[in-house]
Amino acid sequence: MNFNKPMHHRYKGPDMLAISIKLSFIFLFALANGFVGASAQQDYPNRPVKVILPYVAGGAADITARVISQKLSEALGQSFVVENRAGANGALGADLVAKATPDGYTLLIAASGPIVVSPVLQRKMPYDPINDFAPVSQITSFQYAVVVRDASPIQSMQDLMARAKENPGKLSYGSTGIGGGGHLAGVMLEKLGGVSLIHVPYKGGAAVWNDLLGGNLSFTFEALVTAAPMMKSGKLRGFAVTGAQRSVTLPQIPTLAELGFKGYNISQFQGMLAPAKTDPAIIEKLYRELQKIAKSPEVIKRLATDGGNDLVMSSPSEFASLIKAELASYGKLIKDANITPE
């Protein structure tokens, strides 16, 4: 060998074996993640699921939660167990879900209050309505009815307003708490009707109509899902509904806007949420099942025909957009009316 001859070093280029191995790992990682998502969706649920309802039993949201949970149990072969965790106008139960393990086994069914009202009403909240939840679906949209007990001397909406003007600060109405839908409905009635009313907050809807039936309240704004059956049975009389349109359930009852309260419109949602970072495959599976449930004749009759709700079952992204929009609109209403927490 001639050691004096210069050696020519061949450029070998990239290490093709190393690149091949790296690409293989990337492919396997992506494939594994796909299988994990598919597996999560396929296997879920494999044990009972807690459905936190942040109100006392018996109210409008309680009815919705139990109807939906029963149908999910039937469809998915595991118990969806409703747990009533009332307090702080729904914030107590919502916070439990916000801080729960994001595995799909703790869910929240709540109305607008703790999600889009309390966060703009309270100075400090234990959770963030945007960052601490994964929206699953808006289940319903609902409105309220202005109702009195059957034995009440108040005979019409005009009569109610006349009495309120003749007796400022004397007529009382109840709600599920400051900032609750019933409270905001009363605030808007005061503003558009030029009257002063007494607002009495309660911890749940059932307590409101118990006191109404007992004669301790002059009137109230009751969600149609509970008001409609009681009106049909003769226990309550209704004068108006709070939404932009008449209810399909009670088409004979006019809207407040029709009765001269121009621009009056209070409607809210009921929806399902999971803790943030819950596997999107689980969120998607729940959403798909809710879509099927909305077509059930039993659910349509219980929540829509008899209950006065509009069944929505929006997608997770649509529900997320609604939450952001209503945080802004309720924030303005509360600020303009100078509503402050207790």
Side-chain angles (χ1 to χ4, degrees), residues 5-332:
K5 187 177 181 180
M7 297 181 63
H8 296 283
H9 296 279
R10 183 182 176 187
Y11 174 65
K12 297 181 178 180
D15 189 330
M16 300 307 293
L17 179 60
I19 290 177
S20 178
I21 292 173
K22 186 176 181 179
L23 289 173
S24 296
F25 275 117
I26 292 173
F27 173 74
L28 289 172
F29 179 76
L31 193 61
N33 275 327
F35 278 131
V36 168
S39 178
Q41 189 177 42
Q42 184 177 357
D43 295 343
Y44 174 85
N46 55 31
R47 64 178 189 272
V49 177
K50 289 193 298 185
V51 179
I52 301 298
L53 182 76
Y55 316 103
V56 296
D62 186 70
I63 293 172
T64 298
R66 294 183 186 280
V67 169
I68 295 299
S69 296
Q70 177 60 38
K71 288 300 179 182
L72 285 172
S73 298
E74 294 171 5
L76 297 176
Q78 287 288 343
S79 297
F80 281 68
V81 183
V82 176
E83 292 188 8
N84 297 88
R85 296 296 187 93
N89 199 24
L92 178 63
D95 187 45
L96 289 174
V97 177
K99 293 179 171 56
T101 302
D103 57 7
Y105 289 92
T106 303
L107 303 173
L108 175 70
I109 289 183
S112 300
I115 307 302
V116 297
V117 179
S118 292
V120 295
L121 173 66
Q122 304 291 339
R123 293 180 180 178
K124 186 177 181 180
M125 290 291 289
Y127 55 84
D128 184 302
I130 300 296
N131 297 319
D132 289 342
F133 296 101
V136 178
S137 180
Q138 178 187 355
I139 297 172
T140 69
S141 174
F142 68 96
Q143 56 180 315
Y144 299 86
V146 182
V147 295
V148 298
R149 64 184 182 128
D150 186 57
S152 171
I154 300 173
Q155 298 300 315
S156 66
M157 195 69 211
Q158 291 79 5
D159 185 17
L160 189 157
M161 295 306 294
R163 290 169 183 263
K165 290 178 179 179
E166 292 170 2
N167 303 281
K170 297 293 185 181
L171 269 65
S172 61
Y173 71 97
S175 82
T176 54
I178 290 179
H183 178 213
L184 296 179
V187 169
M188 187 169 284
L189 184 64
E190 287 182 299
K191 179 181 178 180
L192 296 180
V195 296
S196 176
L197 304 168
I198 298 175
H199 169 236
V200 184
Y202 293 79
K203 289 185 177 181
V208 176
W209 52 261
N210 280 339
D211 264 10
L212 178 69
L213 293 174
N216 296 319
L217 293 172
S218 304
F219 73 102
T220 201
F221 298 86
E222 184 64 38
L224 287 182
V225 68
T226 46
M230 297 177 75
M231 290 169 65
K232 290 176 180 178
S233 69
K235 293 181 179 179
L236 298 178
R237 286 184 283 116
F239 301 140
V241 292
T242 64
Q245 297 179 343
R246 293 193 182 197
S247 162
V248 175
T249 305
L250 300 169
Q252 73 277 17
I253 306 295
T255 67
L256 281 166
E258 287 180 83
L259 296 178
F261 300 88
K262 186 177 179 180
Y264 195 107
N265 180 16
I266 290 288
S267 60
Q268 298 200 325
F269 66 72
Q270 294 171 331
M272 177 180 287
L273 303 99
K277 299 182 180 179
T278 299
D279 192 322
I282 292 176
I283 298 294
E284 180 69 13
K285 184 169 189 176
L286 287 167
Y287 164 55
R288 294 301 178 193
E289 290 301 330
L290 288 174
Q291 282 190 311
K292 297 175 187 176
I293 287 170
K295 298 175 183 178
S296 163
E298 180 185 350
V299 172
I300 292 171
K301 183 178 187 303
R302 189 71 180 91
L303 298 184
T305 306
D306 293 343
N309 293 300
D310 290 326
L311 289 170
V312 180
M313 303 306 181
S314 62
S315 70
S317 62
E318 289 170 336
F319 190 23
S321 295
L322 174 68
I323 290 171
K324 290 179 181 179
E326 295 215 339
L327 281 167
S329 63
Y330 278 115
K332 184 178 187 306

